[in-house]
């Protein structure tokens, strides 16, 4: 029996042969896909991906657009005041301010993002408004906040929870106001989906690294770092230490690797290995990637143990443990 992977490879070979040899620079390589595509499909990072996928699935299973699915999916996570890594319930910066980063991309290659945004419940929807209502891709800080208000978003009254205040005081005492890079203090939601039409979109939203320096922006709102979608190929998203992901343009790298014939799993593994090759302290932090191609094949890979993801397909939504690089 021909596996999907073999099918893609064989098809790519056949196309190259028909076109008269290997693809040449400057010519787009013909991408061919299985007729047996798994769709609709949605996957997202971490355990909070389960309720997020449920919301996304409602859109997808009723024939809705992947873009609406990835927005409505992560809005569930943003609205959860108990979530300490996404939305206004998130871990603050070292001065006690919760600052939010988010990005979104549609099947046409349009992109929008916000960074260093405060007091807004749904940064992902502000990112979508940037994409759809402005000629820009990214708005930050006070400007992003003003834009949100002008576009009907309300300032949220949500404040730091008493538990978070205690944690912040404790952190300040123990860490002497110095941001620490470790395997904790982060857990973005990144989501990638393909709808029944075969269109792919992605989203990513986070309160970023806990106790960061005020003004720090991670990978999540940077198109191509925390998330990337290309309707010819598929989509990818990231979680973990944003600085490490930005340095390799992680999600864009994965999509380009898939474009050049890697499976989603191979592409995620290569991106993690790229971090390990270039960043000698890679064992001290965590990064996890998810990828989806246009066949509905998926990939997941992390630096260390503990990364998991939620996958909803064929009406089932389940949590899976990701494979990882550092096994000792
Ligand atoms: N990637 C996010 C950041 O660096 C953190 C996370 O994944 O939780 O801001």
């Amino acid at each position: 029996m021909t596996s999907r992977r073999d099918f893609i490879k064989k098809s790519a070979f056949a196309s190259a042969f028909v076109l008269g040899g290997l693809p040449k620079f400057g010519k787009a390589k013909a991408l061919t896909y299985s007729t047996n595509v798994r769709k609709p499909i949605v996957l997202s990072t971490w355990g909070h991906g389960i309720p997020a996928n449920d919301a996304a699935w409602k859109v997808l299973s009723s024939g809705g657009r992947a873009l609406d699915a990835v927005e409505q999916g992560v809005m569930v996570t943003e609205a959860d005041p108990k979530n300490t890594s996404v939305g206004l319930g998130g871990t603050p910066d070292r001065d006690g301010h919760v600052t939010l980063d988010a990005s979104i991309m549609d099947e046409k290659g349009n992109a929008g993002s916000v960074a260093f945004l405060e007091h807004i419940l749904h940064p992902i929807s502000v990112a979508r408004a940037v994409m759809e209502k402005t000629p820009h891709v990214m708005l930050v800080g006070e400007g992003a906040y003003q834009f949100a208000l002008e576009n009907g978003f309300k300032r949220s009254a949500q404040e730091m929870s008493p538990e978070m205040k205690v944690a912040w005081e404790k952190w300040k005492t123990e860490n002497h106001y110095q941001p620490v890079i470790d395997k904790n203090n982060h857990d973005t939601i990144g989501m990638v989906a393909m709808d029944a039409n075969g269109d792919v979109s992605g989203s990513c939203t986070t309160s970023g690294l806990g106790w960061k320096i005020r003004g720090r922006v991670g990978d999540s709102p940077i198109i191509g770092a925390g998330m990337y979608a290309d309707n010819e190929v598929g989509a990818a998203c990231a979680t973990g230490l944003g600085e490490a992901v930005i340095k390799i343009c992680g999600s864009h790298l994965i999509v380009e690797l898939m474009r050049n014939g890697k499976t989603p799993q191979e592409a995620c593994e290569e991106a993690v290995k790229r971090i390990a090759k270039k960043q000698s302290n890679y064992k001290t932090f965590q990064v996890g990637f998810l990828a989806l191609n246009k066949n509905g094949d998926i990939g997941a890979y992390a630096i260390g143990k503990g990364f998991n993801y939620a996958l909803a397909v064929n009406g089932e939504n389940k949590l899976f443990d990701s494979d990882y690089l550092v096994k000792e």
Side-chain angles (χ1 to χ4, degrees), residues 19-42:
L19 292 170
L22 292 171
K24 296 187 175 64
F25 287 112
K27 279 198 177 167
K29 189 169 155 184
L31 286 161
T32 46
Y33 298 105
S34 164
T35 47
N36 186 20
V37 175
R38 270 205 311 179
K39 63 180 181 181
I41 182 169
V42 55

Side-chain angles (χ1 to χ4, degrees), residues 289-318:
F289 289 113
L290 296 181
L292 169 70
N293 72 8
K294 292 276 286 188
N295 288 334
D297 299 324
I298 66 153
Y301 204 62
I303 295 177
K305 195 175 176 182
F307 175 46
N308 54 18
Y309 63 95
L311 169 66
V313 65
N314 297 326
E316 279 194 326
N317 184 19
K318 285 192 194 155

Side-chain angles (χ1 to χ4, degrees), residues 46 85 101 185-188 206-209 216-220 238-243 245:
W46 306 109
S85 54
D101 297 342
N185 296 336
H186 47 74
D187 275 358
T188 294
T206 189
S207 53
L209 195 66
R216 179 266 189 189
V217 168
D219 58 317
S220 309
T239 181
L241 183 67
E243 284 75 1
V245 177

Side-chain angles (χ1 to χ4, degrees), residues 5 40 56 75 83 99 113 122 152 155 173 216 242 244 253 271 276 284 286 294 317 323 326:
R5 192 166 136 193
M75 282 172 77
N83 192 311
T99 68
S113 79
H122 288 303
R155 182 187 172 97
T173 319
R216 179 266 189 189
L253 172 64
T284 64
Q286 175 68 304
K294 292 276 286 188
N317 184 19
D323 194 8
V326 181

